[in-house]
Coordinates of all heavy atoms in Angstrom, one line a residue:
S260 N 82.6 101.2 103.2 CA 82.4 102.5 103.8 C 83.5 103.5 103.5 O 83.2 104.7 103.7 CB 82.2 102.3 105.3 OG 83.4 101.9 105.9
D261 N 84.6 103.0 103.1 CA 85.7 103.9 102.8 C 85.7 104.3 101.3 O 86.0 105.4 100.9 CB 87.1 103.3 103.1 CG 87.3 103.0 104.6 OD1 86.7 103.8 105.4 OD2 88.0 102.0 104.9
M262 N 85.3 103.3 100.4 CA 85.2 103.6 99.0 C 84.3 102.5 98.4 O 84.4 101.3 98.7 CB 86.6 103.5 98.3 CG 86.5 103.7 96.8 SD 88.1 104.0 96.0 CE 88.3 105.7 96.3
T263 N 83.3 103.0 97.6 CA 82.4 102.0 97.0 C 83.1 101.4 95.7 O 84.0 102.0 95.2 CB 81.1 102.7 96.5 OG1 81.5 103.7 95.5 CG2 80.5 103.5 97.7
P264 N 82.6 100.2 95.3 CA 83.2 99.6 94.1 C 83.1 100.5 92.9 O 84.0 100.6 92.1 CB 82.4 98.3 93.9 CG 81.9 98.0 95.3 CD 81.7 99.3 96.0
S265 N 82.0 101.2 92.7 CA 81.8 102.1 91.5 C 82.8 103.2 91.5 O 83.4 103.6 90.5 CB 80.4 102.6 91.4 OG 80.0 103.2 92.6
D266 N 83.0 103.8 92.7 CA 84.0 104.9 92.8 C 85.4 104.4 92.6 O 86.2 105.1 91.9 CB 83.9 105.6 94.2 CG 82.7 106.5 94.4 OD1 82.1 106.8 93.3 OD2 82.3 106.8 95.5
W267 N 85.7 103.2 93.1 CA 87.0 102.6 92.8 C 87.3 102.4 91.3 O 88.3 102.7 90.8 CB 87.2 101.3 93.6 CG 88.5 100.7 93.6 CD1 89.5 100.9 94.6 CD2 89.1 99.8 92.7 NE1 90.6 100.2 94.2 CE2 90.4 99.5 93.1 CE3 88.6 99.2 91.5 CZ2 91.2 98.6 92.4 CZ3 89.4 98.3 90.8 CH2 90.7 98.0 91.2
L268 N 86.2 101.8 90.7 CA 86.4 101.6 89.2 C 86.6 102.9 88.5 O 87.4 102.9 87.6 CB 85.1 100.9 88.7 CG 85.1 100.6 87.2 CD1 86.1 99.6 86.8 CD2 83.7 100.1 86.8
K269 N 85.9 103.9 88.9 CA 86.0 105.2 88.2 C 87.5 105.8 88.4 O 88.1 106.3 87.4 CB 85.0 106.2 88.8 CG 85.1 107.6 88.1 CD 83.9 108.5 88.6 CE 84.0 108.7 90.1 NZ 82.9 109.7 90.5
D270 N 88.1 105.6 89.6 CA 89.4 106.0 89.8 C 90.5 105.1 89.2 O 91.5 105.6 88.7 CB 89.7 106.2 91.3 CG 88.8 107.3 91.9 OD1 88.3 108.1 91.2 OD2 88.7 107.3 93.2
A271 N 90.3 103.8 89.3 CA 91.3 102.9 88.8 C 91.3 102.6 87.4 O 92.3 102.2 86.8 CB 91.2 101.6 89.7
G272 N 90.1 102.7 86.7 CA 90.0 102.3 85.3 C 90.7 103.4 84.4 O 90.9 104.5 84.8
K273 N 91.0 102.9 83.2 CA 91.7 103.8 82.2 C 90.7 104.0 81.1 O 90.1 103.1 80.6 CB 93.0 103.3 81.8 CG 94.0 103.1 82.9 CD 95.3 102.4 82.4 CE 96.3 102.2 83.5 NZ 97.5 101.6 83.1
E274 N 90.7 105.2 80.6 CA 89.8 105.6 79.5 C 90.0 104.6 78.3 O 91.1 104.3 77.9 CB 90.1 107.0 79.0 CG 89.1 107.5 78.0 CD 89.3 109.0 77.6 OE1 90.1 109.6 78.2 OE2 88.5 109.4 76.8
G275 N 88.9 104.1 77.8 CA 88.9 103.2 76.6 C 88.9 101.8 77.0 O 88.7 100.9 76.2
Q276 N 89.0 101.4 78.3 CA 89.0 100.0 78.7 C 87.6 99.5 78.6 O 86.6 100.2 78.8 CB 89.5 99.9 80.2 CG 91.0 100.1 80.3 CD 91.5 99.8 81.7 OE1 90.9 100.1 82.7 NE2 92.7 99.2 81.8
R277 N 87.5 98.1 78.4 CA 86.3 97.4 78.3 C 86.2 96.5 79.5 O 87.0 95.6 79.6 CB 86.2 96.6 76.9 CG 86.4 97.5 75.7 CD 86.4 96.7 74.4 NE 85.1 96.2 74.0 CZ 84.8 94.9 74.0 NH1 85.7 94.0 74.3 NH2 83.6 94.6 73.6
I278 N 85.1 96.7 80.3 CA 85.0 95.9 81.5 C 83.8 95.0 81.4 O 82.6 95.4 81.1 CB 84.7 96.8 82.7 CG1 85.8 98.0 82.7 CG2 84.7 96.1 84.0 CD1 87.2 97.5 82.9
G279 N 84.0 93.7 81.5 CA 82.9 92.7 81.4 C 82.1 92.5 82.7 O 82.6 92.8 83.8
Y280 N 80.9 92.0 82.5 CA 80.1 91.7 83.7 C 79.0 90.7 83.3 O 78.7 90.5 82.1 CB 79.4 93.0 84.2 CG 78.3 93.6 83.4 CD1 77.0 93.3 83.6 CD2 78.6 94.4 82.3 CE1 76.0 93.8 82.8 CE2 77.6 94.9 81.5 CZ 76.3 94.6 81.7 OH 75.3 95.1 80.9
D281 N 78.5 90.0 84.2 CA 77.5 89.0 84.0 C 76.1 89.6 84.4 O 75.9 89.9 85.5 CB 77.7 87.8 84.9 CG 76.7 86.6 84.7 OD1 75.7 86.9 84.2 OD2 77.0 85.5 85.2
P282 N 75.3 89.9 83.4 CA 74.0 90.6 83.7 C 73.0 89.9 84.6 O 72.1 90.5 85.1 CB 73.5 90.9 82.3 CG 74.1 89.8 81.4 CD 75.4 89.6 82.0
K283 N 73.3 88.6 84.8 CA 72.4 87.8 85.7 C 72.7 88.0 87.1 O 71.9 87.6 88.0 CB 72.4 86.3 85.3 CG 71.8 86.0 83.9 CD 71.7 84.6 83.7 CE 71.1 84.3 82.3 NZ 71.1 82.8 82.0
L284 N 73.9 88.6 87.4 CA 74.3 88.7 88.8 C 74.2 90.1 89.4 O 74.4 90.3 90.6 CB 75.8 88.2 88.9 CG 76.1 86.8 88.5 CD1 77.5 86.4 88.8 CD2 75.1 85.8 89.1
H285 N 74.0 91.1 88.5 CA 73.9 92.5 89.0 C 72.5 93.0 89.0 O 71.8 92.8 88.0 CB 74.8 93.4 88.0 CG 76.2 93.1 88.0 ND1 77.1 93.8 88.7 CD2 76.9 92.1 87.4 CE1 78.3 93.3 88.6 NE2 78.3 92.3 87.8
T286 N 72.1 93.6 90.1 CA 70.8 94.2 90.2 C 70.8 95.4 89.2 O 71.8 96.0 88.9 CB 70.4 94.7 91.6 OG1 71.3 95.8 92.0 CG2 70.6 93.6 92.6
L287 N 69.6 95.8 88.8 CA 69.4 96.9 87.9 C 70.0 98.2 88.6 O 70.7 99.0 87.9 CB 68.0 97.1 87.5 CG 67.7 98.2 86.5 CD1 68.5 98.0 85.2 CD2 66.2 98.2 86.2
D288 N 69.6 98.4 89.8 CA 70.1 99.6 90.5 C 71.6 99.6 90.6 O 72.3 100.6 90.4 CB 69.5 99.7 91.9 CG 68.1 100.3 92.0 OD1 67.7 100.8 90.9 OD2 67.5 100.2 93.0
G289 N 72.2 98.5 91.0 CA 73.6 98.4 91.2 C 74.4 98.6 89.9 O 75.4 99.3 89.8
F290 N 73.8 98.0 88.8 CA 74.5 98.2 87.5 C 74.5 99.6 87.1 O 75.5 100.1 86.5 CB 73.8 97.3 86.4 CG 74.2 97.6 85.0 CD1 75.5 97.2 84.6 CD2 73.4 98.4 84.2 CE1 75.9 97.4 83.3 CE2 73.9 98.7 82.9 CZ 75.1 98.2 82.5

């Protein structure tokens, strides 16, 4: 409620970084 994961990633990530994910665990909306 203070910060969503996607907003945190946008703030904490650095341009050019490659972030992995398991496509079987993420909903389409969430991804």
Side-chain angles (χ1 to χ4, degrees):
S260 64
D261 297 329
M262 177 169 279
T263 65
S265 55
D266 284 342
W267 188 92
L268 178 65
K269 183 170 62 175
D270 292 347
K273 298 177 181 178
E274 187 173 359
Q276 285 187 323
R277 302 176 74 245
I278 311 298
Y280 70 98
D281 183 341
K283 292 183 179 179
L284 302 185
H285 294 261
T286 66
L287 185 56
D288 279 351
F290 170 75

